[in-house]
Amino acid sequence: MRPKLAILISGLLIIATTLFVACTKDGTASNASTGKGGSLTRFTISGDHLYVVDNHFLYAYSLLNPQKPERVYTSPLNFDIETIYPFKNYLFLGTRTGLYVYSIDTAAKPRLIGEARHARSCDPVVANDSVAFVTLKGSAICGPATSGLYINDITNINKPILRKTIELPDPVGLGLQDSILYVCCGPAGLKVFNVKQPYSPTLISTAMDGKYVDVIPYNGILICFVEDGIILYDITKPDLPQKLNKIVN
Amino acid sequence: MKCIQIVAALVLLSACWKPVDFREKERPMKKVWGNKPVYAAMNTAKQITFLVQKQPLHKAGNIYAIGNYIFQVDVGRGIHVIDNSDPVKADRIGFLTLNGCEQISIRGSYLYTNSFADLVTIDLSNPTRPIEISRVPNAFPEMAYNYPMAQPAETGYFTCPRTDSAVVGWIKDSIHATCFK
């Protein structure tokens, strides 16, 4: 069994490596493909820049020479930053006091253009053209906000408006595929919402295969970061995730 | 005892991510059962190697997807490489040991991550043989003391770690407690 598996894996690796090399070979610095991260991240790449937040600073690193990132921007921020999420020419910063929107029209000089304050809490963000979905998790450390899904109208990006709140137990990371929103609620499951009408979402189902922390919808697969590893779902039909695999110890 | 714990908890909460020293009079006088740091010299701890075999996951962390691969951070320890060319059979195939690691982002064939406060660039041209190609020391100064291993996972008494060495683990022992979480 073992040698067979090893041969299979090395076979896959060779194929994958060839593909990987083939795909990246002709990529120059500015059109190299970026992968996809979760919603709980503090590192994100948009265009030719890597944006990083630690608790109190926003940094931009130029990747014009991708082998040697160079710091081009540092800004001290007076709020506790939790997460960073890129969308088009914007960065959404989820902080303990609210949602902050930065314009990166000038990539090396992010500019604060909008904010929606909320009660103190922890909060990852995902967004589409007109709506930003935020989860807030109230706790002793994060603050007293009501835990749940907060849906902000960002039609006017300078002025996000909170339109709808849905109470949820311990919400953490979230991901958006078409009009389906996946919200991780730890041991309370993975909530699947239809958000076609973003301000009146409907709960379609709840998956209970692990303790969900974060998700990435990627190429028809929903990659879930669970407390003991990863669970993969087929989301060819985004509203009907089908479990494919669990990668745990 | 309860009082000490409450005071300690309050102090800790007021500075969530920074280890907090007890004031002298609040410190338990006798030795207590608690967590003791396991140190490595900083330059040793920052060495990066790649293990070409599947490794057990200690603490699941951030995930990142690109092409047929998924990367998962093992908080404070490194990054698992997962071959996802067939999602039904996807599995971990290797491990990048990267102490102090928590974040990850990838563009093209370069992976950007942190090792403690350093920004590290890893060449992924061959995803089964990733190698470090550059490093920006102290890129994120806050992370120099606020790294995942800087505190034990469980609540209770522990020895406040030194900052001139890297904590790479915690063991239970009879200790003179200087910190509490």
Side-chain angles (χ1 to χ4, degrees):
Chain A
M1 185 66 199
R2 275 252 162 112
K4 255 189 191 168
L5 197 66
I7 292 167
L8 180 70
I9 290 176
S10 37
L12 287 174
L13 288 186
I14 291 164
I15 297 166
T17 312
T18 319
L19 285 177
F20 201 93
V21 172
C23 291
T24 51
K25 212 183 231 169
D26 56 355
T28 60
S30 53
N31 64 14
S33 69
T34 302
K36 201 167 172 191
S39 63
L40 296 173
T41 183
R42 288 170 175 269
F43 269 36
T44 198
I45 295 173
S46 182
D48 283 329
H49 289 77
L50 167 71
Y51 299 94
V52 177
V53 288
D54 58 13
N55 284 36
H56 301 98
F57 289 88
L58 169 63
Y59 302 97
Y61 279 84
S62 165
L63 302 179
L64 283 171
N65 176 356
Q67 303 189 335
K68 226 175 171 343
E70 192 187 335
R71 188 190 290 186
V72 290
Y73 175 85
T74 307
S75 171
L77 307 174
N78 57 2
F79 31 82
D80 287 337
I81 312 158
E82 298 273 328
T83 60
I84 184 166
Y85 176 83
F87 182 72
K88 291 188 172 168
N89 282 338
Y90 304 108
L91 294 176
F92 292 88
L93 268 57
T95 79
R96 289 192 186 171
T97 53
L99 167 68
Y100 293 80
V101 185
Y102 279 77
S103 162
I104 44 171
D105 280 335
T106 310
K109 226 175 173 193
R111 190 165 52 89
L112 181 65
I113 57 164
E115 61 178 272
R117 295 200 171 235
H118 55 60
R120 285 180 65 82
S121 64
C122 296
D123 64 337
V125 185
V126 296
N128 65 21
D129 276 323
S130 55
V131 187
F133 299 93
V134 180
T135 58
L136 300 190
K137 187 177 175 179
S139 75
I141 288 176
C142 301
T146 304
S147 292
L149 175 64
Y150 287 62
I151 306 173
N152 292 276
D153 182 345
I154 52 166
T155 319
N156 177 356
I157 197 90
N158 301 304
K159 238 189 172 164
I161 302 164
L162 179 64
R163 291 270 190 226
K164 175 81 180 173
T165 308
I166 298 173
E167 268 191 56
L168 288 174
D170 298 326
V172 211
L174 70 177
L176 189 62
Q177 179 68 55
D178 306 329
S179 56
I180 302 298
L181 181 74
Y182 307 96
V183 184
C184 297
C185 293
L190 174 74
K191 308 276 181 190
V192 182
F193 286 98
N194 183 331
V195 290
K196 196 153 197 170
Q197 291 172 301
Y199 308 123
S200 42
T202 48
L203 180 65
I204 303 170
S205 64
T206 304
M208 299 288 286
D209 301 311
K211 294 177 181 170
Y212 300 85
V213 184
D214 204 3
V215 285
I216 308 175
Y218 187 73
N219 291 347
I221 304 287
L222 187 68
I223 305 166
C224 300
F225 153 19
V226 287
E227 263 185 23
D228 54 353
I230 287 177
I231 304 178
L232 302 175
Y233 295 89
D234 182 339
I235 49 164
T236 321
K237 291 178 185 160
D239 54 335
L240 289 170
Q242 302 290 321
K243 190 178 159 193
L244 292 174
N245 191 357
K246 193 166 182 176
I247 308 166
V248 293
N249 284 337
Chain B
M1 195 61 114
K2 214 148 207 168
C3 188
I4 295 173
Q5 292 187 359
I6 291 165
V7 169
L10 285 177
V11 173
L12 199 68
L13 273 179
S14 67
C16 279
W17 34 266
K18 211 169 173 177
V20 177
D21 284 270
F22 284 119
R23 271 176 287 146
E24 200 64 45
K25 61 178 179 181
E26 290 163 350
R27 196 176 291 174
M29 297 309 288
K30 289 182 183 163
K31 277 194 164 185
V32 292
W33 194 243
N35 274 292
K36 191 170 83 173
V38 178
Y39 294 110
M42 206 41 114
N43 54 358
T44 313
K46 285 183 176 178
Q47 276 168 13
I48 295 174
T49 53
F50 186 70
L51 309 173
V52 288
Q53 266 144 11
K54 176 180 177 174
Q55 299 297 315
L57 176 73
H58 290 91
K59 190 179 180 210
N62 279 336
I63 47 177
Y64 201 92
I66 186 162
N68 286 331
Y69 290 90
I70 301 171
F71 296 83
Q72 181 164 40
V73 170
D74 203 320
V75 181
R77 296 169 191 271
I79 299 173
H80 296 277
V81 181
I82 294 159
D83 181 348
N84 189 36
S85 30
D86 178 0
V88 177
K89 293 180 187 153
D91 203 359
R92 297 193 284 269
I93 56 160
F95 184 66
L96 195 62
T97 61
L98 231 155
N99 286 310
C101 157
E102 210 170 4
Q103 302 295 328
I104 177 172
S105 197
I106 300 172
R107 199 185 62 156
S109 49
Y110 300 100
L111 182 155
Y112 303 95
T113 182
N114 73 300
S115 174
F116 304 98
D118 297 354
L119 169 60
V120 179
T121 305
I122 306 279
D123 186 345
L124 279 184
S125 308
N126 179 350
T128 63
R129 290 285 187 283
I131 43 166
E132 174 184 342
I133 51 164
S134 73
R135 182 183 282 262
V136 181
N138 207 30
F140 322 111
E142 269 186 17
M143 297 182 194
Y145 51 88
N146 176 27
Y147 56 94
M149 286 280 184
Q151 291 187 16
E154 58 189 22
T155 55
Y157 292 110
F158 64 101
T159 307
C160 299
R162 284 159 38 186
T163 50
D164 58 347
S165 307
V167 178
V168 290
W170 291 88
I171 48 168
K172 297 287 264 185
D173 201 352
S174 178
I175 56 163
H176 283 293
T178 45
C179 272
F180 183 89
K181 72 169 266 193

